[in-house]
Amino acid sequence: MMTNKTHFFFALILIICGLFNLAKAQDTVITKIDHGILDSLNSTLLKEKRLVEVFLPKDYKPGSDRKYDVLYVLDGGNWNTGLIKDTQHFLEGTSFMPSTIIVSVLGIDRNKDLTPTHLDGWQTSGGAVKFLGFLKDELIPYIDKKYPSNGENTLWGHSLGGLFVTYALLNEPTTFKSYIAVDPSLWWDKCYIQKIAPAKLPGLAGLDITLFIGGREGEDGKGMKIDTMNTILQKYAPAGLTWKSLTYPNETHNSIRLKNTYDGLKFSYTGFNNKAKFHPMNGIIVKDKSVKIWYFNDTTAVHYTLDGTSPTISSPQMQRELTLTTATRLTTRNFTGRTRYNQTVTGDFIAGKSLPTVSKKKNVKAGGFNYAYYEGKWEKWPDFKALKNPVKTGITNGNFNLDKLPKKDNIAVVIDGQLESKEEGYYMFILENGEEANLYLGNHLLMRMTDSTNQLCTYLVPLNKGFYSLRLESFQKKEGYKLKLSYLTPSIMQTKNGVAIPLELQYGRN
């Protein structure tokens, strides 16, 4: 139980922190304007002008129609936003969360804005209801209208800000998709939040939102009264509210922000890095010759079906290796903390036989396929059959490299020749890092790569020993792509590592 003396001391610390935050926020307006977009709006509800600093994602391009999630940071300015911005960039760079707009809400009087009730000794306290109205009805619509927001928001708050996060969750749960409360001051007003939570929590049923709370070990941590909130959540949290509470050892009220922010954002986007894609992505299955399907990510939140229906959370969990014995439509789906990032992938594995070989042409020799390089001004995939007068032709020998071609954009390249197969069995062909491409063996189109296939396509095909006509058509409208063709032969299939087709197995015209 927090004593009056301890309560007074803690309140004094919070007031000092609030003054420090205000000074920092004012400093940010002057010195950090180049790091973000300093913006403001006049609040009717608060009857004052409010400042925010907006940080657009690194990959934002003016004029683009791409939309982003938004992370709202309470107690903005240097005090919190720099840490959160760096943490978000790290998580984005390691594929744990998407590119995100960060809105730093600069404070004026945090004791007023962030507290839900009035306490004696806290002169301006009790303004949370108006501040929540400001966020919901004024700031968020303003951000959604002016910036490329997709309307899916996260709220982050520390200390009194964490108190406000839980207050917002209980009173306006649909305003944000995720709520992150960092060492929240849940002791406020004799545990006011815990008193209203049992009646409020059932209203969150089916909303598909997340709550992450972080606290500290030790007496100071216990004084925040997070444990009492955990007890209530365990009893009353409905389906549709996914929540987690962690207690961190050897942390202070200030230092906990780092770990709590990292873990909270990862929790908000649970499964984001678990893509549903498997390999090979499509293929041909020969009767009585089973094939292995590989999945390289965490299988925990990925489920699959073999009948073409969309997987649900009750469908079988994906395996690192899945054996197929007959023609199958394999569908996988990853289930994330944000349903907009759930991904469904379907692969068709059709029944068939080994592709027939062709005779070796008389005018070819080993050492590389033929290539023809074209330049143009195409807005979309060109008609490759109509291409004439290549700028350059040659052999794809050891000196050939797409990077050495004169241009890097608006180019088309055709590579063709004969591929020699030294083994009978399943081969997996791999196309990666291209913009658009078609790969044929004979008249059979193995793969069609587009800019929406994440620059990685795989196809499983049974081959006999002998020769096959190969043709690769590639179109590159923009710079930055480095198309690569590789394969796995039957003898190296278990290594799961594609290799370049050896030059001695590539045949081109003399």
Side-chain angles (χ1 to χ4, degrees):
M1 190 76 177
M2 188 177 289
T3 65
N4 290 336
K5 183 177 180 180
T6 304
H7 194 161
F8 175 79
F9 176 76
F10 189 73
L12 180 62
I13 292 296
L14 286 177
I15 292 172
I16 293 171
C17 287
L19 294 173
F20 175 76
N21 177 45
L22 180 57
K24 280 294 196 181
Q26 291 171 336
D27 179 62
T28 297
V29 172
I30 298 170
T31 64
K32 294 295 184 182
I33 187 170
D34 58 321
H35 286 190
I37 301 169
L38 186 64
D39 207 340
S40 65
L41 67 162
N42 292 311
S43 170
T44 302
L45 285 169
L46 300 178
K47 296 181 173 56
E48 60 192 11
K49 182 178 181 180
R50 296 305 298 246
L51 297 175
V52 295
E53 196 171 8
V54 180
F55 297 85
L56 294 173
K58 292 180 180 179
D59 58 2
Y60 168 72
K61 295 180 180 179
S64 170
D65 59 358
R66 182 177 175 183
K67 304 293 185 180
Y68 299 88
D69 293 0
V70 184
L71 171 58
Y72 288 86
V73 180
L74 302 177
D75 289 326
N78 282 349
W79 193 24
N80 288 316
T81 309
L83 169 68
I84 294 171
K85 186 156 60 75
D86 290 342
T87 304
Q88 188 280 323
H89 288 167
F90 177 79
L91 288 169
E92 177 187 336
T94 50
S95 300
F96 283 108
M97 70 178 295
S99 300
T100 301
I101 298 171
I102 297 175
V103 177
S104 176
V105 184
L106 305 184
I108 293 179
D109 184 348
R110 68 192 305 271
N111 298 336
K112 177 182 70 174
D113 290 341
L114 305 179
T115 55
T117 59
H118 180 76
L119 287 184
D120 292 339
W122 298 69
Q123 292 184 355
T124 59
S125 58
V129 63
K130 288 187 176 180
F131 187 64
L132 181 55
F134 161 70
L135 294 180
K136 177 179 179 289
D137 299 324
E138 295 181 331
L139 179 58
I140 291 176
Y142 178 80
I143 295 296
D144 289 347
K145 182 178 180 180
K146 187 172 181 179
Y147 299 95
S149 161
N150 61 23
E152 197 154 290
N153 308 312
T154 296
L155 181 64
W156 182 101
H158 169 241
S159 192
L160 286 182
L163 169 71
F164 180 85
V165 166
T166 57
Y167 174 79
L169 168 77
L170 297 175
N171 288 277
E172 294 289 352
T174 61
T175 304
F176 300 92
K177 186 71 174 177
S178 297
Y179 296 79
I180 302 174
V182 183
D183 211 20
S185 302
L186 296 177
W187 55 264
W188 182 266
D189 196 2
K190 299 178 182 178
C191 297
Y192 169 80
I193 291 296
Q194 292 89 321
K195 292 175 183 176
I196 67 171
K200 296 281 190 178
L201 283 169
L204 278 58
L207 295 183
D208 191 27
I209 54 181
T210 64
L211 167 66
F212 186 91
I213 303 174
R216 296 166 287 151
E217 288 185 351
E219 292 303 314
D220 289 340
K222 291 180 181 178
M224 305 303 280
K225 298 300 182 182
I226 296 171
D227 55 345
T228 61
M229 186 63 183
N230 292 341
T231 300
I232 291 170
L233 286 166
Q234 289 168 359
K235 185 175 182 179
Y236 294 101
L241 171 63
T242 303
W243 69 279
K244 186 175 185 178
S245 181
L246 289 182
T247 302
Y248 297 90
N250 304 316
E251 298 294 342
T252 68
H253 184 61
N254 188 39
S255 69
I256 194 177
R257 293 176 303 145
L258 176 59
K259 291 180 180 179
N260 203 153
T261 299
Y262 178 83
D263 290 340
L265 288 173
K266 277 188 69 176
F267 180 73
S268 300
Y269 290 93
T270 298
F272 179 82
N273 63 319
N274 272 3
K275 305 307 179 185
K277 183 174 287 188
F278 48 82
H279 297 284
M281 297 165 60
N282 296 279
I284 299 172
I285 294 182
V286 177
K287 184 179 180 181
D288 299 326
K289 291 185 178 180
S290 63
V291 300
K292 296 286 188 182
I293 305 299
W294 302 321
Y295 179 74
F296 298 108
N297 292 314
D298 184 0
T299 62
T300 305
V302 181
H303 298 262
Y304 75 94
T305 60
L306 297 176
D307 58 4
T309 59
S310 182
T312 67
I313 200 70
S314 60
S315 300
Q317 185 175 306
M318 189 58 178
Q319 305 167 31
R320 287 299 184 97
E321 285 194 353
L322 190 65
T323 301
L324 301 183
T325 56
T326 60
T328 300
R329 169 164 282 188
L330 171 61
T331 307
T332 57
R333 184 173 178 83
N334 65 328
F335 292 85
T336 71
R338 299 285 184 106
T339 55
R340 81 164 48 240
Y341 296 109
N342 289 356
Q343 180 188 46
T344 300
V345 175
T346 298
D348 286 313
F349 295 88
I350 62 175
K353 299 179 179 180
S354 295
L355 297 189
T357 60
V358 296
S359 299
K360 178 186 175 184
K361 294 182 179 179
K362 295 181 179 180
N363 63 337
V364 298
K365 68 176 183 179
F369 299 125
N370 298 100
Y371 77 85
Y373 158 71
Y374 302 85
E375 296 178 358
K377 294 183 179 180
W378 302 286
E379 290 299 320
K380 58 182 182 179
W381 180 264
D383 181 358
F384 275 82
K385 293 181 179 179
L387 293 180
K388 297 179 180 179
N389 303 318
V391 175
K392 189 176 182 179
T393 60
I395 300 293
T396 61
N397 54 29
N399 295 322
F400 175 77
N401 192 318
L402 286 173
D403 283 346
K404 295 181 180 180
L405 296 175
K407 284 188 65 181
K408 303 295 186 294
D409 61 339
N410 261 303
I411 62 173
V413 179
V414 176
I415 295 174
D416 66 351
Q418 287 192 299
L419 165 69
E420 184 178 5
S421 166
K422 290 284 191 178
E423 303 176 69
E424 179 181 331
Y426 285 116
Y427 286 70
M428 187 170 79
F429 286 85
I430 306 165
L431 280 179
E432 54 189 320
N433 298 328
E435 185 172 359
E436 292 189 67
N438 284 342
L439 177 64
Y440 296 86
L441 277 186
N443 295 322
H444 193 97
L445 175 62
L446 299 189
M447 288 181 278
R448 168 73 175 133
M449 168 179 275
T450 68
D451 56 5
S452 64
T453 54
N454 297 319
Q455 287 72 58
L456 179 61
C457 294
T458 53
Y459 193 91
L460 188 78
V461 58
L463 301 182
N464 294 309
K465 291 182 181 180
F467 288 85
Y468 290 88
S469 298
L470 181 145
R471 180 179 174 87
L472 176 61
E473 301 170 345
S474 171
F475 169 55
Q476 188 168 308
K477 183 173 177 59
K478 297 174 286 187
E479 292 188 33
Y481 293 96
K482 297 182 180 180
L483 180 64
K484 178 183 176 183
L485 169 64
S486 58
Y487 74 166
L488 288 168
T489 65
S491 60
I492 65 171
M493 188 67 72
Q494 294 305 315
T495 69
K496 304 176 185 178
N497 292 317
V499 298
I501 300 173
L503 289 176
E504 61 267 25
L505 302 181
Q506 299 181 29
Y507 287 77
R509 294 180 299 276
N510 293 320

